[in-house]
Amino acid sequence: MSKRHNSKYKLDRRMGENIWGRPKSPVNKREYGPGQHGQRRKSKVSDFGIQLKAKQKLKGYYGDVTEKQFRATYAAAVQMKGDTSQNLIGLLEQRLDMVVYRAKFAPTIFSARQIVNHGHILVNGRRCNIASAKIKPGDTVELGTKAKEMALVMEAQGLTEREVPEYVAVEGPKATYVRVPSLDEVPYPVKMEPNLVVEFYSR
């Protein structure tokens, strides 16, 4: 289990975008970066800088996964047939913590990972506490008995800021992963550019 050391909202301000679409994001009030130099005039960004930002934004959106995990996901996407950027998004959307988040069993990707790590999620009827576990089409993801009563879960299910996408079918405390989505099916609140991430790693 990896631990997130940075404030999740600091990532929003560093990117200058509300990457999770949350109403509490400080970007809604101030779009400049954090720290005493946040309001400095921005200099022209190089191609490398643009690619790096795209990578950091995508990596951050999925719960600020470790560089090692993210690079491994990219390597797996390269090995697959078809478009690498589409494959990358598909693999990221197959993570257990992301399916929990998409099913609205948790209000944030970070709380989704916590619920998984604490053993509150069943995959095909068996307990799984590995957030990066790969979920396949047809697999079921279910809240454990204790999780059904958690205030966190109840809060998530009442959120109006996002909807459950079509590739996840939810029935009460159980969700079925219907299919691996394409990039345009994923409900990102901001524009993601996985093609730039591919360019970054293939330099």
Side-chain angles (χ1 to χ4, degrees):
M1 173 185 170
S2 61
K3 185 176 182 180
R4 175 175 50 86
H5 295 281
N6 299 320
S7 165
K8 58 180 180 290
Y9 287 134
K10 195 173 285 186
L11 180 66
D12 271 5
R13 291 188 63 196
R14 193 165 72 239
M15 295 296 139
E17 297 179 84
N18 184 357
I19 65 173
W20 294 285
R22 304 260 12 216
K24 291 182 181 179
S25 175
V27 175
N28 297 336
K29 294 182 180 178
R30 49 188 187 276
E31 294 186 359
Y32 52 85
Q36 63 178 337
H37 302 299
Q39 296 186 63
R40 285 188 307 180
R41 184 183 298 173
K42 294 179 180 177
S43 57
K44 187 177 180 181
V45 183
S46 65
D47 288 345
F48 172 81
I50 293 170
Q51 293 164 1
L52 177 63
K53 183 178 178 180
K55 187 203 75 162
Q56 297 293 65
K57 185 164 68 170
L58 190 66
K59 190 160 78 85
Y61 178 85
Y62 284 93
D64 213 8
V65 296
T66 64
E67 179 62 26
K68 184 178 179 181
Q69 275 193 347
F70 198 74
R71 185 179 282 274
T73 304
Y74 165 76
V78 171
Q79 297 298 319
M80 296 167 63
K81 292 181 179 179
D83 184 84
T84 301
S85 58
Q86 293 276 2
N87 295 340
L88 177 63
I89 296 301
L91 289 172
L92 290 168
E93 286 291 317
Q94 285 183 272
R95 287 175 58 98
L96 175 55
D97 55 359
M98 184 48 63
V99 177
V100 169
Y101 175 68
R102 291 289 182 224
K104 292 178 75 171
F105 291 161
T108 68
I109 180 57
F110 302 101
S111 54
R113 184 173 300 165
Q114 185 180 50
I115 289 172
V116 174
N117 288 334
H118 289 181
H120 293 300
I121 297 296
L122 307 176
V123 177
N124 296 329
R126 301 181 69 176
R127 195 172 304 280
C128 180
N129 62 358
I130 302 171
S132 60
K134 186 179 178 182
I135 303 303
K136 298 175 184 176
D139 285 352
T140 59
V141 175
E142 187 176 2
L143 290 167
T145 305
K146 288 184 179 179
K148 294 173 186 176
E149 307 298 323
M150 290 170 65
L152 196 71
V153 175
M154 294 178 182
E155 175 200 342
Q157 293 174 337
L159 288 176
T160 57
E161 65 203 47
R162 59 188 175 91
E163 299 295 329
V164 178
E166 290 184 0
Y167 52 91
V168 178
V170 179
E171 290 184 25
K174 183 183 288 189
T176 302
Y177 193 66
V178 180
R179 66 178 182 278
V180 179
S182 59
L183 175 60
D184 57 1
E185 288 182 288
V186 181
Y188 294 121
V190 296
K191 184 180 180 182
M192 292 293 179
E193 298 170 295
N195 58 308
L196 295 180
V197 180
V198 172
E199 289 177 14
F200 176 87
Y201 281 122
S202 60
R203 282 176 297 115

